[in-house]
Amino acid sequence: MDSITTPRGSITIAKNHQAKLQWNPDFAGQRTEQFSRMQKFIDSEVLRLSTPYIPIKTGMLIKSGILGTVVGSGEVNYIAPYADAQYRTAVTRSYDAQRGGLWFERMKIDHKKEILEGAKKTGGIR
């Protein structure tokens, strides 16, 4: 029998030329934990890096994102009743030209590479 073994598992070829794939029993748990760490990093960075782009009057819109988001879920939710209207209003604010609608899209343009590199580092990916 020929076989190839890696940390993820092994492939064994029997005499009848059928291949058998055997996953390392710890592999799924390790990957799940790795992806979970990466998702938590991404969610928290989206909240943090979006803050300077979000319209601010009382700070409630920013806080509604923190309150409405379960870090690690893969969804960042701003739950203030007016959040959607503020997001879809592409007008910048007179008090700060960086703050305005579409804050996630604009933040992503400026910080996407930084977030992806940090996620890879957090997950132990080169």
Side-chain angles (χ1 to χ4, degrees):
M1 272 195 263
D2 292 326
S3 69
I4 300 170
T5 303
T6 72
R8 294 187 289 179
S10 63
I11 300 172
T12 305
I13 301 174
K15 289 184 180 183
N16 63 2
H17 301 289
Q18 289 188 340
K20 178 181 178 187
L21 174 62
Q22 179 72 40
W23 288 106
N24 177 338
D26 298 331
F27 177 69
Q30 291 169 351
R31 285 293 190 211
T32 299
E33 177 58 33
Q34 178 186 35
F35 293 142
S36 179
R37 280 193 319 268
M38 292 169 69
Q39 189 63 62
K40 286 177 182 177
F41 174 82
I42 292 168
D43 292 354
S44 62
E45 285 297 279
V46 166
L47 285 168
R48 183 179 73 82
L49 294 171
S50 291
T51 296
Y53 298 82
I54 297 172
I56 189 169
K57 189 172 186 179
T58 64
M60 190 63 192
L61 184 55
I62 293 167
K63 290 175 184 168
S64 82
I66 295 166
L67 184 61
T69 300
V70 176
V71 173
S73 69
E75 290 185 20
V76 174
N77 295 304
Y78 292 86
I79 59 172
Y82 50 86
D84 187 58
Q86 290 290 317
Y87 188 79
R88 295 181 190 286
T89 302
V91 177
T92 59
R93 304 312 188 262
S94 60
Y95 54 83
D96 185 343
Q98 186 172 345
R99 296 187 183 273
L102 303 174
W103 57 80
F104 172 71
E105 297 301 327
R106 294 183 299 111
M107 178 281 296
K108 193 169 58 171
I109 290 168
D110 293 343
H111 298 287
K112 178 181 176 180
K113 184 177 178 183
E114 175 185 340
I115 292 169
L116 292 175
E117 287 174 0
K120 285 179 183 177
K121 185 176 179 182
T122 301
I125 299 172
R126 296 178 189 187

